[in-house]
């Protein structure tokens, strides 16, 4: 049992939530029991869980002293953020100062790694984001790109993706060139439409201020005054990756995102993303940001599914019958956080 005495000036109603909702969320997630009497909270449970709950309450209590209105999402983010490091400071990545304005509301980083990602994009002209699905790699990059375009920091946004089938053979696709490649690019349109009205987005596309194209269309171009995003970069070959990175022109910024556990290239081809951390070591102006399942912000089951697959792959890797479907994915683990000196781990 521990007793937490809150500091003077804490807004208890804000901290506890309507009908003590915030306390109940912490109790349910951390398996602790809490009893509040005035500005004193008594906590019961496993020592580690109690200390984690106490840290969360102390941090959130300080927020209320600055008139910040807590929401259930803030409680969920705080719980998620402390999964790997119990005493991590919670303020830097949740306050509205980090919010990115879009036509459909603000986009906020929800984990420390997402905050590190936004800082890296602000600081560097080339950022490589590697991590599992659902961690906000493309979504946050898109928000940063739209903010840069709105503030006239760049004159256009270019979104690229390798046109690689995800383990399925689609066969012959009817229609013109646009119709043939559109299915591969649909996820980029989906991300764009979540941040901007469809009509406005389509007008920007028509005027060429936003361009969505297959990676192969980048060859031979120089991308000046542009915010460029390469999505699903794990499906870019080494040659394509070199081609893309050398397109960067004056007053331009490039973001490369991908998941090196979901490579859809044939076994005979190596993933350019899986090699990039070794090739681009110690280059000023390049930063790597690594995400883990702790950064997943989709449905709560997505994180559990990723962890289950990781456990399965670790188990099967000990079996002599196991055969890797792609040598580029063998024994790859995601480090957590940002490498501010452009130094990634050996892959």
């Amino acid at each position: 049992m521990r007793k937490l005495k809150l500091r003077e000036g804490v807004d208890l109603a804000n901290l506890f939530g309507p009908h003590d909702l915030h306390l109940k969320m912490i109790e349910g997630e951390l398996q602790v029991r809490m009893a509040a009497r005035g500005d004193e909270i008594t906590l019961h449970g496993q020592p580690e869980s109690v200390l984690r709950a106490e840290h969360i309450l102390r941090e959130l209590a300080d927020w209320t002293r600055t008139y910040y209105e807590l929401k259930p999402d803030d409680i969920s983010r705080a719980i998620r953020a402390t999964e790997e490091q119990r005493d991590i400071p919670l303020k830097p990545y949740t306050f509205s100062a980090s919010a990115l304005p879009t036509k459909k509301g603000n986009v906020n980083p929800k984990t420390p790694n997402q905050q590190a990602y936004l800082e890296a994009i602000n600081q560097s002209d080339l950022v490589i984001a590697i991590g599992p699905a659902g961690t906000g790699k493309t979504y946050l990059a898109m928000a940063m790109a739209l903010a840069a375009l709105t503030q006239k920091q760049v004159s256009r946004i270019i979104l690229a993706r390798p046109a690689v089938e995800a383990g399925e053979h689609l066969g012959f696709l009817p229609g013109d060139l646009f119709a043939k490649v559109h299915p591969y690019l649909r996820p980029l349109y989906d991300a764009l439409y979540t941040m901007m009205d469809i009509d406005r987005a389509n007008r920007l596309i028509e005027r060429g201020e936003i361009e969505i194209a297959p990676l192969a269309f980048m060859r031979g171009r120089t991308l000046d005054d542009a915010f460029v995003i390469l999505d699903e970069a794990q499906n870019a070959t080494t040659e394509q990756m070199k081609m893309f990175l050398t397109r960067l022109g004056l007053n331009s910024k490039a973001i490369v995102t991908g998941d090196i556990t979901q490579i859809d290239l044939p076994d005979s081809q190596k993933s350019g993303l899986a090699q990039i951390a070794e090739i681009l070591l110690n280059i000023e102006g390049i930063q790597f940001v690594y995400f883990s399942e702790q950064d997943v912000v989709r449905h709560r089951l997505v994180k559990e599914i990723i962890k289950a697959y990781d456990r399965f792959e670790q188990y099967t890797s000990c079996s002599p019958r196991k055969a890797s479907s792609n040598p580029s994915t063998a024994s790859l683990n995601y480090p957590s956080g940002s490498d501010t000196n452009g130094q990634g781990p050996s892959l």
Side-chain angles (χ1 to χ4, degrees):
M1 182 188 76
R2 286 181 65 89
K3 289 189 176 182
L4 170 62
K5 179 75 172 179
L6 297 171
R7 298 168 61 186
E8 184 179 350
V10 172
D11 184 344
L12 297 178
N14 187 6
L15 177 63
F16 296 167
H19 308 291
D20 292 341
L21 173 62
H22 299 163
L23 296 183
K24 291 174 182 176
M25 291 175 65
I26 297 172
E27 286 181 323
E29 289 291 334
L30 304 188
Q31 298 298 299
V32 297
R33 290 181 294 110
M34 292 187 284
R37 176 172 294 182
D39 58 359
E40 185 174 273
I41 303 174
T42 305
L43 301 95
H44 301 267
Q46 295 295 321
E48 185 69 19
S49 297
V50 166
L51 290 173
R52 184 176 162 197
E54 181 181 349
H55 173 69
I56 291 173
L57 289 170
R58 285 188 187 278
E59 292 285 305
L60 299 185
D62 282 346
W63 295 11
T64 70
R65 298 174 71 246
T66 62
Y67 306 102
Y68 182 90
E69 183 180 354
L70 289 170
K71 303 177 182 64
D73 277 353
D74 294 315
I75 310 304
S76 297
R77 294 170 193 169
I79 292 170
R80 186 185 303 118
T82 57
E83 286 180 352
E84 291 185 345
Q85 183 180 338
R86 188 193 69 209
D87 58 351
I88 188 171
L90 298 176
K91 292 180 184 178
Y93 68 92
T94 309
F95 277 142
S96 58
S98 300
L100 295 169
T102 69
K103 294 295 183 180
K104 293 191 175 182
N106 288 339
V107 175
N108 291 282
K110 297 182 178 180
T111 72
N113 282 339
Q114 289 190 351
Q115 173 67 22
Y117 184 35
L118 297 186
E119 292 173 356
I121 294 174
N122 280 325
Q123 296 167 1
S124 302
D125 288 336
L126 175 58
V127 177
I128 296 97
I130 300 176
T135 50
K137 303 183 299 295
T138 303
Y139 189 79
L140 290 174
M142 186 83 74
M144 291 290 281
L146 290 173
L149 183 65
T150 302
Q151 297 166 12
K152 301 189 183 303
Q153 297 174 4
V154 296
S155 62
R156 55 180 172 160
I157 296 171
I158 299 175
L159 311 172
R161 224 174 189 241
V164 176
E165 299 166 348
E168 300 177 4
H169 295 291
L170 301 181
F172 174 77
L173 293 175
D176 58 15
L177 182 61
F178 176 80
K180 293 178 188 296
V181 301
H182 188 264
Y184 299 103
L185 306 176
R186 186 71 223 182
L188 294 176
Y189 284 93
D190 292 342
L192 178 62
Y193 292 154
T194 62
M195 299 181 194
M196 180 176 288
D197 293 334
I198 293 178
D199 290 341
R200 173 167 168 74
N202 288 336
R203 286 197 300 271
L204 291 174
I205 292 172
E206 290 173 2
R207 295 205 300 260
E209 293 183 43
I210 297 179
E211 178 183 347
I212 303 178
L215 175 59
F217 285 23
M218 298 296 105
R219 188 175 297 278
R221 302 178 60 183
T222 300
L223 306 177
D224 290 324
D225 199 27
F227 197 116
V228 191
I229 301 173
L230 174 59
D231 188 36
E232 295 290 324
Q234 75 275 3
N235 289 327
T237 64
T238 54
E239 294 81 6
Q240 287 176 325
M241 182 64 71
K242 179 181 178 182
M243 177 272 292
F244 172 79
L245 295 176
T246 54
R247 300 306 94 198
L248 198 61
L250 298 176
N251 190 40
S252 290
K253 188 181 294 284
I255 314 298
V256 178
T257 72
D259 177 359
I260 50 180
T261 69
Q262 296 191 28
I263 298 175
D264 300 312
L265 293 170
D267 291 348
S268 60
Q269 293 183 313
K270 292 184 178 181
S271 168
L273 184 64
Q275 293 183 330
I276 201 170
E278 291 183 344
I279 296 173
L280 301 183
L281 286 175
N282 302 317
I283 298 180
E284 185 177 353
I286 300 177
Q287 289 195 48
F288 290 84
V289 180
Y290 294 90
F291 294 90
S292 72
E293 71 274 0
Q294 302 299 330
D295 299 298
V296 171
V297 291
R298 290 180 182 170
H299 192 287
R300 65 175 183 83
L301 288 177
V302 174
K303 178 162 60 174
E304 298 304 319
I305 290 169
I306 291 171
K307 290 165 69 175
Y309 268 96
D310 286 344
R311 289 193 299 269
F312 175 77
E313 290 170 359
Q314 289 174 8
Y315 171 77
T316 55
S317 66
C318 299
S319 170
R321 294 175 296 176
K322 192 252 185 187
S324 173
S325 60
N326 191 312
S328 299
T329 65
S331 303
L332 288 173
N333 293 313
Y334 291 121
S336 180
S338 171
D339 183 334
T340 58
N341 294 319
Q343 296 182 355
S346 295
L347 295 181

